Amino acid sequence: MARAQTQAKKDSYHHGDLRSALVEVGLERVRRGGIDQFSLREAARDAGVTSGAVYKHFADKDQLLAAVAGEALTLLAKRSFKATSRLKGAERLRAAARAYIDFASAEPLLFRLAFSRFGAACNDCKQQAGAAPVPSAFEQLRSAVAGVQSDPHVDPDVLAFAWSIAHGAASLISDGMWEKNDPRAEAALQLSFSVLSGKNKT
Amino acid sequence: MARAQTQAKKDSYHHGDLRSALVEVGLERVRRGGIDQFSLREAARDAGVTSGAVYKHFADKDQLLAAVAGEALTLLAKRSFKATSRLKGAERLRAAARAYIDFASAEPLLFRLAFSRFGAACNDCKQQAGAAPVPSAFEQLRSAVAGVQSDPHVDPDVLAFAWSIAHGAASLISDGMWEKNDPRAEAALQLSFSVLSGKNKT
DNA sequence: GCATTGATGTAAGCAGTGTTCACTTTACAG
DNA sequence: CTGTAAAGTGAACACTGCTTACATCAATGC
């Protein structure tokens, strides 16, 4: 069940693609139990392999978690892309922010992993196979901000503002202070847009 | 050095106030190493006590961490109170938000603990000795929002907006995506205040 | 075709962890 | 003084991350 995507060799001594399998399994485990519940040995068991085998693909538990965090980040990026790609202007920006918040609602534990030190550590592993299939969620937010401004060069203050709002509402949800899809997130977005549309330049 | 505040009995079999000592030691450990580095046995060692002794005061490691998170939350509340208590109106609100952000800059690991599941678990332990010496940072934010509105009843949307901005910038800093005291935090605050002062009511 | 070799797996073991439990030590009420 | 409950010890258990020595397989050069 876990080894769906990258079909592993059936019953051979060698797994076939253990690295991807571990990341996949790890993503599922973190999604359910969070970071601190995650166990390297358990992940190995899920993949049908001894714990020692993990160390042929990752230096230590942290690097495995970093890879999982990278996967979580691309998952967010994909959903954001799907939600924003065919929109323009203010609607696009709003959709980008909402994608951020929706992801935190749908996968709070993955969101926390993505923006933990493991996600930061994965800045070094950004170029995995395929050379960035989709721009990161942050890049999409930046381009969306550019889209609502007449000026082609993005105002860093406006970007910081939009990022703060989106990340703030998302964090409040993933941290459990707001409920999933809490209307307050939408309200905060609504108010913030009165700034962005009201005044395009300082 | 660790047992400064609540002076423990010198060298007796019984510690005197082990519970507070553990929380104090835990706060220091989390401040330096973060949540996942934190070890119950290490904390017990720091307090000069066997690991088993911890379980006379806390059901398990999670409850100890919850108590530490509670301490971190009151630390934030105290600093916020000190920064805002003698201000009024927009200045007060700005100071409250800034206190949030400054705390995340000064103690990123404590901030993460405070707004992790351990901090949430400590909602149940809110009434520790002394019946809330200081209103929580959130309550202070709420009252500050009330102060900038002519209407005495706080507009929940405005509160959500302010909370989002403050928590967002603070999280971005404590998560390492922005640097400590990053000017973008101040810029985001600046822009957000153009909303709050520009339109007091819907 | 076939041995060699490097990559990938196993198995056992180490130190450290959270947690439990039987036990000892202490403070204190009657 | 003494009995009791609170607060500590220390040894054990199952588990963890990680290392090491060894086993197995797939591919390569000859």
Side-chain angles (χ1 to χ4, degrees):
Chain A
M1 158 204 162
R3 56 178 77 171
Q5 306 253 1
T6 40
Q7 187 71 24
K9 296 184 176 180
K10 285 201 142 186
D11 284 320
S12 57
Y13 184 89
H14 290 312
H15 182 283
D17 193 359
L18 180 54
R19 181 183 168 104
S20 324
L22 285 172
V23 171
E24 212 172 319
V25 160
L27 198 77
E28 194 59 26
R29 284 265 169 200
V30 170
R31 161 148 71 195
R32 311 187 108 83
I35 301 180
D36 24 312
Q37 299 273 28
F38 178 80
S39 149
L40 180 144
R41 285 178 111 116
E42 242 176 17
R45 258 174 262 145
D46 281 7
V49 119
T50 305
S51 72
V54 177
Y55 292 88
K56 301 290 174 177
H57 300 271
F58 301 95
D60 53 12
K61 183 187 179 183
D62 279 26
Q63 289 210 16
L64 170 53
L65 271 174
V68 175
E71 197 65 21
L73 280 167
T74 72
L75 196 62
L76 164 59
K78 279 182 190 170
R79 296 200 187 173
S80 169
F81 188 76
K82 191 169 274 183
T84 64
S85 57
R86 43 183 186 176
L87 300 179
K88 296 222 175 291
E91 276 196 11
R92 176 139 185 253
L93 178 51
R94 191 184 298 253
R98 234 194 297 255
Y100 222 92
I101 293 166
D102 287 348
F103 185 75
S105 284
E107 302 294 354
L109 298 178
L110 288 185
F111 183 86
R112 297 212 89 174
L113 173 66
F115 293 102
S116 68
R117 66 189 177 92
F118 300 106
C122 195
N123 278 352
D124 307 313
C125 77
K126 49 185 136 187
Q127 295 293 51
Q128 57 182 7
V134 156
S136 78
F138 168 63
E139 286 304 330
Q140 295 179 46
L141 191 67
R142 154 177 254 123
S143 94
V145 167
V148 296
Q149 296 188 311
S150 46
D151 199 334
H153 112 288
V154 179
D155 182 346
D157 289 3
V158 172
L159 178 56
F161 173 78
W163 199 1
S164 251
I165 281 281
H167 195 84
S171 293
L172 283 166
I173 289 171
S174 79
D175 291 352
M177 319 204 57
W178 288 1
E179 298 188 349
K180 301 186 177 193
N181 304 108
D182 196 303
R184 282 177 284 189
E186 194 62 30
L189 273 189
Q190 194 68 28
L191 266 177
S192 69
F193 271 85
S194 70
V195 182
L196 300 182
S197 55
K199 53 198 297 272
N200 282 356
K201 277 286 269 186
T202 302
Chain B
M1 155 202 163
R3 56 179 76 172
Q5 307 253 0
T6 41
Q7 188 71 26
K9 296 183 175 179
K10 285 203 143 185
D11 284 321
S12 57
Y13 184 88
H14 289 312
H15 183 283
D17 191 1
L18 180 55
R19 182 185 166 100
S20 324
L22 284 172
V23 171
E24 212 171 319
V25 159
L27 199 77
E28 193 59 26
R29 284 266 169 199
V30 171
R31 163 148 69 196
R32 309 188 109 83
I35 301 180
D36 23 311
Q37 299 273 25
F38 178 80
S39 149
L40 181 146
R41 288 180 110 115
E42 242 175 18
R45 256 174 262 143
D46 282 6
V49 120
T50 303
S51 72
V54 177
Y55 291 86
K56 301 290 174 177
H57 301 270
F58 301 95
D60 53 10
K61 182 187 178 183
D62 278 26
Q63 289 210 16
L64 170 53
L65 271 174
V68 175
E71 196 66 21
L73 280 167
T74 72
L75 195 62
L76 164 60
K78 279 183 190 169
R79 296 201 188 171
S80 169
F81 189 77
K82 191 168 271 182
T84 64
S85 57
R86 44 183 185 175
L87 299 179
K88 296 223 174 292
E91 277 195 10
R92 178 140 184 254
L93 178 51
R94 190 184 299 254
R98 235 193 297 256
Y100 221 93
I101 293 166
D102 287 348
F103 185 75
S105 285
E107 302 293 354
L109 297 177
L110 288 185
F111 183 87
R112 298 213 88 175
L113 173 66
F115 294 101
S116 69
R117 66 188 177 93
F118 301 106
C122 195
N123 278 353
D124 308 312
C125 80
K126 50 186 138 189
Q127 295 294 51
Q128 57 182 10
V134 155
S136 77
F138 168 65
E139 286 303 330
Q140 294 180 46
L141 192 68
R142 154 176 253 124
S143 93
V145 167
V148 296
Q149 295 187 312
S150 45
D151 199 335
H153 112 288
V154 179
D155 182 346
D157 290 4
V158 172
L159 178 56
F161 173 78
W163 199 1
S164 251
I165 280 282
H167 195 83
S171 293
L172 284 166
I173 289 171
S174 79
D175 290 352
M177 319 203 57
W178 288 0
E179 299 190 348
K180 301 187 176 191
N181 303 109
D182 196 301
R184 281 175 284 189
E186 193 62 30
L189 274 189
Q190 194 68 27
L191 264 177
S192 69
F193 271 84
S194 70
V195 181
L196 299 182
S197 56
K199 53 198 297 267
N200 280 357
K201 276 287 265 188
T202 302

